[in-house]
Amino acid sequence: MINLLAAESQRLWARRMTRFFPAILALLMVAGVVIAYLVINGDDSNSPDFVNDIAGGLEASSLFGPITTLLPVMAFVIGASSIGADSKTGMLEQLLTWEPRRLRLLGARLLAVASGVGLLVMALGLVLVGLLYALAASTGTVDGTTGELWANVAVALLRLGVASALFAAFGVGITLLVDNSVGSIVGFVIYWFIVENFLVALFLPKVHVYLPVNNADSFASGTDIERIDGSVFTETGPDFVTEHSYIVAGVILAGWVALAVVASGLVFNRRDVA
Amino acid sequence: MSNAMKDQAPAVIEIKNLSKIYYRARRPWGGGIPITAVEGLDLTVGRAGSVHGFLGPNGSGKTTTIRCLLGLIRPTGGSVSVFGVDSTRQFHHVASRVGAIVENPKMFPNFSARRNLGLLARMAQIPSSEVERVLDVVGLKDRGDDSFASYSLGMKQRLAIAGALMKDPDLLILDEPANGLDPAGIAEIRVLVRQIADEGKAVLVSSHQLAEVEQMVDDITVIDHGRLVETGSLAHVRSMAGDDVVVVTIDQRDEAIAALAASGITAHPRADGREMSVDIEVARSSEITRALADRGLYLSGLRADRATLEKAFLTLTAAPPPTGPSLAGAPSPLAGAPPPLAPPPLAAPSGAPPSGAAPPGAPPGFAAPPPPAQHPRTVDAGEGER
């Protein structure tokens, strides 16, 4: 199993998708910070305070705000393409003549993709922290950065990594189930932005709190899940009630992923590979 | 390896009553349009130390059978065993002893040959030195760092063979190994396959390159429309094309036929108005020229028309396609080839069901293929010489 896992990891890192997507994200981060530097530099009224303006306090609650949505999407795409690439090249057939135990192969693939993507996302998060710190240091202040802040940053990074790892596994599972990587990626994006975050969130708020994307957001950002209480269309606006903590959200997310993975394992184990 | 030793070697592949039905436009709740790829196939192939040719027109069920052997697809019925193991469920017990290429060479396109093989070697805990050895065997050592995508089809094929050889398998299954290879490459593969067999390993080769197959195999199985048509030694299968004949070209054909008849030699007119087939051994051709010259008749051409595997193949697979939906409906790749000269009598099995009749218990939409062109028969390898 160790050899299989090593081979799967090697294959993951050698794939263009695994390198291309994160490279684009890293470039976007650098570009964003450079633009921010050019805008802020020389304008004392906009000088950022790393702790309060960027990190959102010692809890580091807003540090990864801009990428908490992007990274799990990227994770899903990498997971989905790891299956799609094999189907497209017919490599899955080749691999199965070497390791015919399909669940073993799937297990190694899941472990390799999830752990690889988790580490990758944490590395990207670290890059973002470094860039934002450098921005604050060069144009504003980094006073007040304590050990407590860095500990919270580390925990937030870990949560982001775990959420992304789960989404990578989700991508593997869903793609195996539907046997079409493009379909699973397009379907996932539509589901994410339209079905869950718009339709269900608006019309079925009690259901929304148990759906995967909402719980992923909650877990990755470390904020409890809230739902709209009563009508949206009131003079004072909707009320929100806390439904469950981000820890529970993580468990619910893991449950969704486990469901997809188990279902895909059952289907894959019986499917004709040709 | 001597024929006697080969006969004592155990069969490595046993297929019994194998059937596979695919479903086109499959519905999530099951069913769809059934397509019979393989039906009732019985086969014992691959004696250790021999090369077994697996022939059939496009869509005849060869690759489906090979995929069943490798546990890639589940048969609808019947059993498949490799080295005595049910390969549809427990192929992992024998996977290390089986090297295989199914259809096209499959590797990661943007990885180099070395990297592709290295990954496979790592999966199977094969020493990395084996990568260099097999690259050398297939002549790709110098191009080992080039990406798979940059390879020609022939090079890809050779790399796939290298991958299959890396396990040092006891059974090598090659599905169309000569695809895309130039003549020199095909000859190399032929020599390589024979070498592997001579080392005491079993090789199953599926191919359309009949002339090549003829030069490398000991035994042959021909399938068509998913059914066994003939199996046996090369000599036995080749005999299905009939005997060698001598073809004479002469302007006064009818006079020549009469002249030969007077000399006790039987000749038959052929479709070409100037040609006739003469029932005589090729080595005795001089008797024809003497008999004709004695009567003042002079031929303008004489050639031997030998019974070849290609003729036998065309003869054996000449049955019409089944009426129901089937993968076997694809035209023969050799459709443009000349028909066999002297097809042997093809006796239909007595009591065979009428063509197109659905067997009892068949799924809706199922239509049985017509009866096979000939009684399937199994003849021991070594019955004739290779």
Side-chain angles (χ1 to χ4, degrees), chain A residues 118-273:
Chain A
L119 287 172
L120 189 65
V121 163
M122 286 197 281
L124 280 171
L126 209 55
V127 169
L128 182 66
V129 172
L131 287 169
L132 292 174
Y133 187 86
L135 177 70
S138 58
T139 59
T141 176
V142 291
D143 289 348
T145 48
T146 61
E148 184 187 352
L149 172 75
W150 293 123
N152 285 331
V153 167
V155 170
L157 263 178
L158 192 62
R159 275 201 317 268
L160 194 59
V162 170
S164 299
L166 288 171
F167 263 84
F170 204 42
V172 170
I174 296 291
T175 306
L176 260 184
L177 270 178
V178 301
D179 202 16
N180 182 330
S181 60
V182 175
S184 80
I185 291 169
V186 171
F188 173 72
V189 171
I190 290 171
Y191 170 80
W192 178 302
F193 291 106
I194 298 174
V195 178
E196 190 182 323
N197 275 350
F198 180 66
L199 296 176
V200 181
L202 202 58
F203 298 108
L204 296 166
K206 285 183 180 172
V207 174
H208 187 227
V209 297
Y210 295 106
L211 295 185
V213 173
N214 196 15
N215 282 284
D217 272 345
S218 163
F219 178 70
S221 62
T223 52
D224 295 342
I225 286 230
E226 294 180 327
R227 71 170 165 81
I228 296 168
D229 188 29
S231 172
V232 179
F233 307 105
T234 59
E235 277 185 20
T236 55
D239 290 329
F240 290 91
V241 291
T242 299
E243 193 68 34
H244 51 246
S245 71
Y246 71 87
I247 301 288
V248 174
V251 174
I252 291 173
L253 173 64
W256 279 107
V257 173
L259 192 67
V261 165
V262 169
S264 68
L266 291 173
V267 169
F268 179 53
N269 208 30
R270 294 195 59 81
R271 178 179 288 159
D272 285 348
V273 176

Side-chain angles (χ1 to χ4, degrees), chain B residues 36-53:
Chain B
T36 304
V38 178
E39 192 181 14
L41 186 64
D42 288 319
L43 202 55
T44 302
V45 295
R47 290 170 189 282
S50 73
V51 182
H52 195 115

Side-chain angles (χ1 to χ4, degrees), chain B residues 228-295:
Chain B
L228 176 66
V229 173
E230 192 64 60
T231 186
S233 67
L234 172 64
H236 166 72
V237 174
R238 196 159 49 191
S239 73
M240 298 291 117
D243 298 326
D244 294 348
V245 292
V246 176
V247 178
V248 171
T249 307
I250 188 166
D251 290 336
Q252 308 94 327
R253 185 179 67 180
D254 294 339
E255 292 168 45
I257 289 174
L260 288 174
S263 304
I265 301 170
T266 309
H268 313 275
R270 289 166 64 94
D272 183 325
R274 297 173 63 235
E275 280 189 351
M276 60 182 178
S277 304
V278 184
D279 295 344
I280 194 168
E281 290 166 33
V282 177
R284 291 172 56 208
S285 300
S286 60
E287 292 179 27
I288 301 171
T289 54
R290 191 181 310 124
L292 294 175
D294 285 349
R295 285 159 181 79

Side-chain angles (χ1 to χ4, degrees), chain B residues 18-19 36-42 59-62 65 223-228 326 328 369:
Chain B
L18 177 70
S19 63
T36 304
V38 178
E39 192 181 14
L41 186 64
D42 288 319
S60 58
K62 300 186 300 294
T65 304
I223 68 168
D224 194 14
H225 302 136
R227 291 180 173 200
L228 176 66
S326 166

Side-chain angles (χ1 to χ4, degrees), chain B residues 115-198:
Chain B
R115 190 164 205 174
N116 266 303
L117 294 183
L119 282 170
L120 294 174
R122 191 161 193 176
M123 273 178 79
Q125 300 179 53
I126 292 170
S128 55
S129 56
E130 274 299 286
V131 172
E132 296 306 315
R133 183 186 71 81
V134 293
L135 280 174
D136 198 26
V137 167
V138 299
L140 287 175
K141 203 166 185 176
D142 295 338
R143 299 286 305 271
D145 291 325
D146 294 356
S147 74
F148 181 70
S150 70
Y151 276 13
S152 67
L153 183 57
M155 291 166 77
K156 287 177 179 174
Q157 197 68 262
R158 282 194 275 165
L159 182 62
I161 291 171
L165 291 177
M166 207 159 51
K167 292 180 185 174
D168 194 17
D170 294 324
L171 168 64
L172 187 61
I173 298 175
L174 303 174
D175 192 6
E176 302 290 352
N179 260 0
L181 293 180
D182 55 21
I186 292 173
E188 281 172 27
I189 296 297
R190 187 203 314 148
V191 171
L192 185 64
V193 165
R194 273 310 327 164
Q195 266 177 7
I196 291 164
D198 291 343

Side-chain angles (χ1 to χ4, degrees), chain B residues 331-383:
Chain B
S332 163
L334 301 167
L341 290 177
L346 300 177
S350 60
S355 174
F366 181 96
Q374 185 139 355
H375 288 294
R377 288 192 296 145
T378 304
V379 178
D380 286 341
E383 179 184 287

